[in-house]
Amino acid sequence: MDENLQRYAPPFVADEYSAKERYLIEPFFSNLDQSVYLALIPDPELVGALMSRASRATGDLRTIFLRDYIKPMLHPVFDKEKDTEATWQEKLDQASEMWAFIDFLHVHPFSKIFANKRARDFYTKWLAQYGDDSIAQMTGMHLVFANISQITIKHFEDQRIGLAPIEQSTRYVPYDTKVAGRYRYYTDPDLDNDTSLEGSYLFEEFEAANELLFETYSELIPQLKSWLTEKYPEVKANDIEKKAFDSLRGLLPMGTQSQVAFYGNAQAFEHLINRGQEHPLGEIRWAANRVREELSQRTPSLFRRVNDDSEKSVHYQKYLAGKTERLRHESLEITDMIMTGGASEDRSEVKIIDHDPIEKIITAMIYSTADYHESWQDTYQQVLAMNEKQRDIIITKYLSGRNERWMKIGRAFEMSYVTIEIMMNIGAWRDLHRHRMLTQIKQSFSCYHSYDTPAVLMESGLEQPYREALNTMSHVFAKIAQRDENIAQYATCLSHRMRFVQHKNIRECFWEGELRTTQACHPDYRKIEQLIFKELEKIYPLITKHSLVDMNDYDFARRGEAKKIEAKLQKLNSI
């Protein structure tokens, strides 16, 4: 790849470290001054704890590692209330061991100790030459993006299998601060390439619209917090703040830069690279290339194929990148036919497109019973002849004893599928997008379906600036979409609505519906899950009556969460 990808790199300002601080953490990361890096921490608990901080941390994970894990370990403090002589000595011994370990790694870094020729030759032979992909699943790496846009994050997360992402939360992390005098959003440099009279202003219009969104977001946070505090004086300040962040996240554009950490195997990362190397969006091409560089430096034998610039490799990457591009002509023809015939203007939030019969589930229940050995077809015919009472008895017995949502239902429920079309705002879709045991097919992000305005903003009288900022960005989207619909996706916000389809089995319906309707959930997707449940009730009443979906509404998500967590910790510590 010979294009200058660096021009697509998101703006990034690296944290500064003293020479001593660099010495302490250099061995544990692939770099300290770039926005894409690998964590090289060998202990699973330590690296897992650090990567998990990506969700609620406002700073760089490398700095957090230094501040919260390394320094406290190297410079222990005696706790008069908790430390005994034995625990204090344990802290001192641990500090001594860590100092020795860091010194050792500077002389004998991981890259030299574990650059095992036999292991690399094994992967070169069986993976690169013979294509035995299953062995690549035996590897695991932690990769971090310090700041990439929501567009790129969702592209990578859409891969679904083999990757475990943890992304910066819009509920716990405010986006009202600037970095080097700029709000955290991405502008595609190709916007500046349009030399037409109107196009020459697009770059400036796009950035002005983003500035207005972030300024409105920043100004409304204290106003909404004040109103909520007055209305709910009994609610703690921390819960008030999270409610404000939740309510205003719709202003954040899809160009918003966030931190995300991935754990994945080599096969998954190879596919991530291949999916991105020829993508129409420059930021995604840049990000995929940086992943390739970081992983190839650390484990070269695992990524030989993505470093092969042969015609075959490039052809495959272009094939992957073109999946949503190849049918543009045909899709426009279908749009014209729909408009000519009179579009249905169906704006239903939830619509069941297709569903399998309940008999398949009941058959699976009987089929897997101990000491049952009859054929599927014969069993299915008997189930077809059953009356409703007989079916009800079987389902009830199968689920007997389940009284908590974390108690997973049996695999028999995977035998029947439903296809559901959903229209909801992008912010809420991001939460449902995390579910992987299903097929999700989404349309591109746009402003064609308008946007949602939270009820709390209308009730508090703060909806006008909210709408003005979103209307401004919607206007910019329309202009950019005339020139490049891919880049135009950056001109959408989390409040803009989108269409997508879920194809999932009833077991996943149980899991998703029960998980996404609790008090801790965002009201936007709780509402959608409750609508889905109501539709499923019409089709599978014998099944849904056993569901633990919460049909209540809550004014605050996670109210009293801190108190509940503290009670659980005390219980665990007493064991």
Side-chain angles (χ1 to χ4, degrees), residues 522-551:
H522 193 286
D524 288 353
Y525 65 74
R526 184 195 299 120
K527 172 190 172 185
I528 294 296
E529 291 293 349
Q530 289 170 341
L531 289 174
I532 292 174
F533 179 75
K534 289 178 181 179
E535 293 299 312
L536 292 175
E537 274 188 313
K538 301 173 185 176
I539 303 169
Y540 305 110
L542 296 181
I543 292 175
T544 53
K545 71 177 185 177
H546 297 283
S547 173
L548 301 176
V549 166
D550 187 345
M551 297 301 288

Side-chain angles (χ1 to χ4, degrees), residues 422-424 426 429 442-443 445 496-500:
I422 302 170
M423 183 183 287
M424 66 193 305
I426 298 171
W429 165 81
K442 72 173 184 65
Q443 296 181 336
F445 306 117
H496 283 106
R497 299 188 191 115
M498 60 177 289
R499 275 199 180 112
F500 68 104

Side-chain angles (χ1 to χ4, degrees), residues 409-513:
I409 65 173
R411 192 168 288 181
F413 287 93
E414 294 181 14
M415 294 306 298
S416 287
Y417 278 76
V418 292
T419 304
I420 310 169
E421 185 177 43
I422 302 170
M423 183 183 287
M424 66 193 305
N425 65 64
I426 298 171
W429 165 81
R430 289 161 68 245
D431 294 292
L432 300 192
H433 185 234
R434 298 174 185 174
H435 291 266
R436 300 171 197 158
M437 297 302 291
L438 72 167
T439 298
Q440 297 197 53
I441 299 177
K442 72 173 184 65
Q443 296 181 336
S444 58
F445 306 117
S446 75
C447 297
Y448 298 131
H449 307 298
S450 191
Y451 56 81
D452 289 339
T453 303
V456 69
L457 293 184
M458 293 184 279
E459 189 179 350
S460 61
L462 297 174
E463 77 275 12
Q464 184 176 347
Y466 181 91
R467 292 181 183 277
E468 288 176 353
L470 288 169
N471 289 339
T472 299
M473 183 57 99
S474 298
H475 182 66
V476 173
F477 168 86
K479 289 185 176 181
I480 299 176
Q482 292 178 0
R483 291 160 172 75
D484 192 320
E485 289 207 4
N486 281 313
I487 295 179
Q489 294 180 94
Y490 287 107
T492 61
C493 299
L494 297 189
S495 60
H496 283 106
R497 299 188 191 115
M498 60 177 289
R499 275 199 180 112
F500 68 104
V501 168
Q502 286 188 336
H503 182 67
K504 57 187 178 183
N505 59 57
I506 303 305
R507 192 184 195 197
E508 173 63 19
C509 289
F510 262 77
W511 169 249
E512 183 181 316

Side-chain angles (χ1 to χ4, degrees), residues 252-427:
L252 298 175
M254 286 300 285
T256 300
Q257 293 174 296
S258 296
Q259 181 166 242
V260 61
F262 286 95
Y263 177 73
N265 61 52
Q267 184 183 29
F269 278 124
E270 182 185 58
H271 190 53
L272 180 150
I273 295 167
N274 280 324
R275 288 178 62 239
Q277 291 261 102
E278 294 291 336
H279 195 276
L281 290 175
E283 184 196 13
I284 292 176
R285 294 198 301 277
W286 170 85
N289 188 61
R290 282 293 295 119
V291 174
R292 180 186 64 81
E293 291 173 346
E294 289 294 320
L295 294 176
S296 297
Q297 181 182 6
R298 179 67 182 165
T299 52
S301 65
L302 294 170
F303 297 96
R304 285 179 178 270
R305 293 184 296 195
V306 292
N307 286 308
D308 177 11
D309 291 330
S310 67
E311 183 178 341
K312 181 179 180 181
S313 295
V314 174
H315 176 78
Y316 176 55
Q317 291 167 358
K318 288 183 176 180
Y319 160 76
L320 291 175
K323 284 184 178 180
T324 60
E325 302 291 323
R326 288 190 285 270
L327 296 178
R328 278 188 179 271
H329 175 72
E330 287 78 8
S331 65
L332 288 174
E333 286 185 341
I334 291 175
T335 296
D336 288 342
M337 288 187 285
I338 291 173
M339 298 305 293
T340 301
S344 64
E345 287 298 320
D346 186 355
R347 293 189 175 270
S348 303
E349 292 179 288
V350 170
K351 186 174 183 179
I352 303 291
I353 305 299
D354 190 23
H355 64 88
D356 287 341
I358 192 174
E359 287 84 359
K360 293 174 69 176
I361 295 173
I362 299 173
T363 300
M365 291 175 178
I366 299 297
Y367 191 83
S368 59
T369 300
D371 295 329
Y372 187 81
H373 303 289
E374 307 308 321
S375 73
W376 177 276
Q377 186 61 34
D378 289 342
T379 308
Y380 189 73
Q381 291 300 319
Q382 292 300 314
V383 171
L384 287 175
M386 289 180 181
N387 59 39
E388 185 171 316
K389 184 177 180 180
Q390 290 172 311
R391 296 177 180 191
D392 187 23
I393 289 172
I394 292 173
I395 295 171
T396 301
K397 282 188 174 182
Y398 187 83
L399 291 170
S400 177
R402 183 179 189 265
N403 55 12
E404 299 282 354
R405 65 176 177 82
W406 51 263
M407 299 173 69
K408 293 181 173 57
I409 65 173
R411 192 168 288 181
F413 287 93
E414 294 181 14
M415 294 306 298
S416 287
Y417 278 76
V418 292
T419 304
I420 310 169
E421 185 177 43
I422 302 170
M423 183 183 287
M424 66 193 305
N425 65 64
I426 298 171

Side-chain angles (χ1 to χ4, degrees), residues 162-215:
L163 295 175
I166 291 188
E167 177 187 347
Q168 201 166 53
S169 170
T170 55
R171 171 177 288 175
Y172 294 95
V173 178
Y175 286 79
D176 57 347
T177 57
K178 293 184 178 182
V179 178
R182 175 189 172 91
Y183 285 115
R184 295 168 56 193
Y185 64 89
Y186 178 80
T187 302
D188 191 309
D190 287 341
L191 266 181
D192 212 16
N193 290 345
D194 193 331
T195 56
S196 65
L197 181 61
E198 186 177 359
S200 63
Y201 296 104
L202 273 180
F203 188 93
E204 290 78 10
E205 282 189 65
F206 175 79
E207 296 225 319
N210 275 281
E211 290 293 319
L212 177 60
L213 285 165
F214 278 95
E215 286 170 4

